[in-house]
Amino acid sequence: MSDQAKTAIGGDTLRLRYETIEARRRTLLVYLGNGVASVFLFGFGIANLLEDRYTLAWFSLIHGCITLGNILLLRVTRNPDWASYGFAYGLLALFVFLTITGGVDHTGPLWGYPMVAVALSILRARLGLAIIVAMLCIALLLFLAPPSFIEVAPYSTAFKVRYTATFLALILFTWLHEFARARSQAELIRVSAQIDRLSQTDVLTDLPNRRYMLERLEAENSRYRRHQRPYAILYGDVDDFKQINDRYGHQAGDEALCAIAQALRANLRQHDVVCRWGGEEFLVLLPETGADIALEVAEKLRAAIAAVDFRPADGAHRLTMSFGLHTVLCQDSVDHFIQQADRKLYHAKQTGKNRAVAELATA
Ligand SMILES: Nc1nc2c(ncn2[C@@H]2O[C@H](COP(=O)(O)OP(=O)(O)OP(=O)(O)O)[C@@H](O)[C@H]2O)c(=O)[nH]1
């Protein structure tokens, strides 16, 4: 298949689709994560205020404001990345604070565990893992810091050792999970792209098939509705193809179709699309092309097919092809335009074959 068709049919489209879904999922999670964090932080803040724990209270309330700010930022920028950075900062700051003060009855660092899950589901995998590793490093530094440098809640040595070990295990399993998930996701995209490509490709000629062409035609037709830029459809049919099958066999017929497909592809621009429409019929879409150029292209293709050096087993056969071409200059359905091209093709067959017909006689 041509490079042009490969990029269109290949994994890029699927990857793009996947990234759009992923961006939507992240936006939703950033809203949700910041929303839940705001509720918790304001709740903690008020509870701590009522119990006269002012440092904890103000810290919670300030970070509650930061998470609310993240929600506003996301609404304004529509970019989940900025709000994610704000959220990552909030998580880290909250973790540092809870570890230093010990929270309620020295249970503060335990909030690190749910934070791991939250960081991974809301932040991108790489940023999420970086935040988790940063949390562990911060916890270690605070556990080891001399009291003269910073006063940290008095955790027992047994707690520090077990906390570090369990946090390390959590990081390891989280990383393994993330690694396996990323790999299977990449594989899924690859296989889906392959299936997508196969479902839109003609097995014999490796050209795009009718299904793919119909999608492209619909897209081109909607573009016409928006911008009124003309486009052209060439309907090509190999002349006396039955004779090739009858004289040289079906295999030679298949080879002729492949040679024709190659010649058509080689004589079109990068953004034109050619497909095997069915049997010995081919359809060409010429985007943003007026009637004069379309006729020139049809003539060029006709001449290119006539010049194909096709030599079946014990003989030589001159391949020729007839074309009906229709330039879209008004709004109607794709089916209607194909029918118009088909009528002109019929006329080309009736008037001697090996020709391109752009207009039907009005008389
Ligand atoms: N080898 C081969 N033959 C095919 C394939 N698809 C369709 N055909 C044959 O193509 C032939 C088309 O014959 P017709 O519709 O009579 O057309 P034609 O002989 O080209 O005559 P005109 O269109 O009037 O020039 C039929 O014999 C089909 O069996 C294919 O994939 N491989």
Side-chain angles (χ1 to χ4, degrees):
M1 188 179 296
S2 68
D3 289 346
Q4 141 230 357
K6 265 183 189 153
T7 37
I9 298 179
D12 290 354
T13 327
L14 271 177
R15 203 157 289 121
L16 211 71
R17 247 186 262 162
Y18 170 78
E19 276 165 14
T20 314
I21 295 171
E22 183 63 8
R24 264 192 235 130
R25 186 191 72 90
R26 281 188 56 234
T27 306
L28 196 74
L29 278 175
V30 172
Y31 270 129
L32 198 72
N34 280 298
V36 171
S38 301
V39 172
F40 267 95
L41 287 164
F42 281 115
F44 282 142
I46 292 165
N48 283 313
L49 261 186
L50 295 175
E51 289 171 20
D52 298 334
R53 283 193 290 258
Y54 293 110
T55 328
L56 258 179
W58 285 117
F59 192 87
S60 304
L61 291 174
I62 287 169
H63 279 86
C65 292
I66 291 177
T67 47
L68 266 188
N70 282 335
I71 295 176
L72 279 178
L73 187 69
L74 185 53
R75 275 203 78 81
V76 175
T77 62
R78 306 247 157 229
N79 179 352
D81 285 342
W82 290 107
S84 298
Y85 295 138
F87 188 70
Y89 161 77
L91 268 187
L92 268 186
L94 198 59
F95 181 73
V96 171
F97 179 76
L98 287 168
T99 309
I100 292 176
T101 62
V104 178
D105 293 337
H106 305 152
T107 55
L110 297 181
W111 285 101
Y113 298 129
M115 282 179 186
V116 167
V118 169
L120 268 184
S121 60
I122 292 184
L123 307 173
R124 278 187 197 277
R126 229 180 259 171
L127 178 62
L129 280 172
I131 295 292
I132 298 166
V133 172
M135 279 162 68
L136 178 67
C137 294
I138 288 167
L140 272 176
L141 284 174
L142 291 174
F143 287 164
L144 297 173
S148 54
F149 180 67
I150 185 168
E151 201 172 322
V152 178
Y155 302 110
S156 71
T157 308
F159 176 83
K160 288 179 190 174
V161 171
R162 277 161 185 74
Y163 186 76
T164 307
T166 49
F167 213 97
L168 257 176
L170 191 60
I171 290 180
L172 182 69
F173 285 113
T174 313
W175 180 79
L176 278 175
H177 170 79
E178 195 48 43
F179 179 72
R181 195 191 65 81
R183 281 197 65 158
S184 53
Q185 191 181 307
E187 183 62 9
L188 198 70
I189 291 180
R190 195 187 64 75
V191 173
S192 310
Q194 210 171 18
I195 294 170
D196 213 36
R197 186 174 113 73
L198 287 176
S199 73
Q200 297 181 322
T201 305
D202 175 57
V203 185
L204 178 67
T205 58
D206 205 31
L207 284 182
N209 62 15
R210 189 182 190 125
R211 189 177 146 203
Y212 177 74
M213 179 58 101
L214 279 172
E215 270 178 29
R216 291 295 304 265
L217 282 169
E218 287 297 345
E220 198 57 37
N221 212 30
S222 342
R223 220 191 321 268
Y224 177 84
R225 286 205 180 98
R226 283 198 307 276
H227 307 295
Q228 276 75 48
R229 291 200 196 114
Y231 70 94
I233 296 172
L234 310 188
Y235 201 142
D237 183 291
V238 186
D239 297 327
D240 304 316
F241 189 69
K242 193 170 177 305
Q243 281 181 18
I244 303 178
N245 277 338
D246 293 348
R247 276 192 206 152
Y248 309 104
H250 208 80
Q251 170 82 21
D254 285 355
E255 283 164 18
L257 289 174
C258 292
I260 287 165
Q262 218 171 357
L264 290 174
R265 205 157 43 191
N267 284 279
L268 286 167
R269 300 168 300 182
Q270 182 74 13
H271 53 282
D272 297 331
V273 187
V274 54
C275 85
R276 183 168 176 216
W277 190 244
E280 82 294 11
E281 296 175 341
F282 295 83
L283 207 74
V284 179
L285 163 66
L286 305 173
E288 303 199 4
T289 307
D292 295 347
I293 302 287
L295 187 58
E296 268 176 38
V297 175
E299 278 300 334
K300 183 177 161 196
L301 294 179
R302 193 197 55 73
I305 301 298
V308 169
D309 185 21
F310 179 60
R311 292 173 192 277
D314 47 358
H317 184 98
R318 184 172 178 236
L319 294 172
T320 60
M321 200 162 173
S322 300
F323 289 93
L325 77 96
H326 183 74
T327 308
V328 172
L329 296 165
C330 65
Q331 293 194 12
D332 212 316
S333 69
V334 164
D335 276 353
H336 171 78
F337 297 135
I338 294 173
Q339 269 172 30
Q340 294 299 312
D342 191 19
R343 285 179 61 209
K344 293 167 189 173
L345 168 64
Y346 179 77
H347 190 67
K349 292 278 186 184
Q350 295 302 304
T351 51
K353 304 186 181 178
N354 189 22
R355 64 188 56 207
V357 170
E359 296 294 339
L360 290 176
T362 44

